[in-house]
Amino acid sequence: MAETLEQLADYIKAAHPGAVATLAFGELTMVVDAGNIVPFTTWLRDDPECEFTIMIDICGVDYPNRARRFDVVYHFLSISKNRRIRVKLEADDITPVPSIISVHVSADWFEREAFDMFGILFSDHPDLRRILTDYGFSGYPLRKDFPLTGYVEVRWDDEQKRVIYEPVRLIQEFREFDFLSPWEGAAAAIRAGDVSKK
């Protein structure tokens, strides 16, 4: 039985030689090829040494300077083994990532969110449509190249009793925060060695 995360990583790599393991900050991350995500997550769920039966989250990360600009990040939990694991893969905005709904039904809305916010496509998803943005919204708000202005927001106006469209307004302008000022300092004390001199 794999007692430590290092032993678990070795066990997983022995079963899946293409997977790459990273241990950092007491967490295990496995990087796999997008085409292998369904068999890999099925094995993680069904293998008696792993038993990662609960999918906690799926999210996207945008690296616009890479050819495959997105990381799709999955988080799983094994209650019986009291362990967590992170699984990552790289994707682009053209090639669909296989959906893991056949393995974890709870992936449904998480994959829709990754599609809505980043434009990550999932093949074999039964209902891949927007879930958080408004009807007719164009663009993907969590991409790093998404513009902050020029879009409209939709809201219900109770006085007019209808849906109205308004330009997006940023309530607070960009500010430089001076954490050394006694007026807007950090809640915790800053030690002398933590601040570089200008």
Side-chain angles (χ1 to χ4, degrees):
M1 179 173 158
E3 297 291 334
T4 66
L5 287 179
E6 291 85 359
Q7 291 171 333
L8 180 61
D10 292 339
Y11 179 77
I12 294 172
K13 286 191 295 185
H16 298 273
V20 177
T22 305
L23 284 163
F25 306 107
E27 297 177 353
L28 174 60
T29 302
M30 300 300 299
V31 180
V32 299
D33 183 60
N36 294 331
I37 191 65
V38 173
F40 186 77
T41 55
T42 303
W43 182 84
L44 284 178
R45 182 194 65 192
D46 297 341
D47 185 80
E49 190 66 31
C50 297
E51 295 182 352
F52 288 101
T53 57
I54 297 177
M55 193 214 63
I56 300 171
D57 186 27
I58 301 173
C59 60
V61 183
D62 186 15
Y63 298 98
N65 295 328
R66 289 190 336 201
R68 290 189 293 184
R69 71 183 287 175
F70 304 114
D71 276 355
V72 182
V73 185
Y74 304 81
H75 295 97
F76 299 99
L77 171 66
S78 171
I79 292 180
S80 61
K81 306 292 184 183
N82 193 23
R83 292 184 182 144
R84 293 175 187 265
I85 191 170
R86 178 184 300 115
V87 178
K88 289 173 40 172
L89 60 86
E90 289 186 1
D92 58 33
D93 52 356
I94 299 168
T95 311
V97 174
S99 172
I100 65 164
I101 290 179
S102 61
V103 184
H104 294 278
V105 176
S106 58
D108 185 357
W109 284 13
F110 291 109
E111 289 179 353
R112 284 181 60 190
E113 180 183 5
F115 165 70
D116 193 7
M117 296 290 106
F118 291 95
I120 299 169
L121 301 171
F122 293 91
S123 62
D124 300 321
H125 190 287
D127 188 22
L128 192 62
R129 61 187 165 102
R130 292 190 179 269
I131 191 169
L132 297 173
T133 56
D134 298 319
Y135 301 110
F137 187 88
S138 62
Y140 303 100
L142 291 184
R143 286 189 181 183
K144 291 187 179 166
D145 55 2
F146 185 78
L148 294 178
T149 59
Y151 283 86
V152 295
E153 60 185 352
V154 179
R155 69 175 180 83
W156 175 259
D157 189 311
D158 208 31
E159 292 176 3
Q160 297 181 32
K161 302 293 186 207
R162 67 181 185 92
V163 174
I164 61 171
Y165 293 82
E166 297 176 326
V168 173
R169 288 175 287 145
L170 301 176
I171 302 303
Q172 181 178 352
E173 301 266 340
F174 175 77
R175 286 180 56 191
E176 292 279 341
F177 290 94
D178 178 12
F179 289 107
L180 297 178
S181 165
W183 300 107
E184 21 178 271
I190 299 175
R191 297 183 306 265
D194 293 345
V195 180
S196 62
K197 299 195 178 189
K198 294 184 180 180

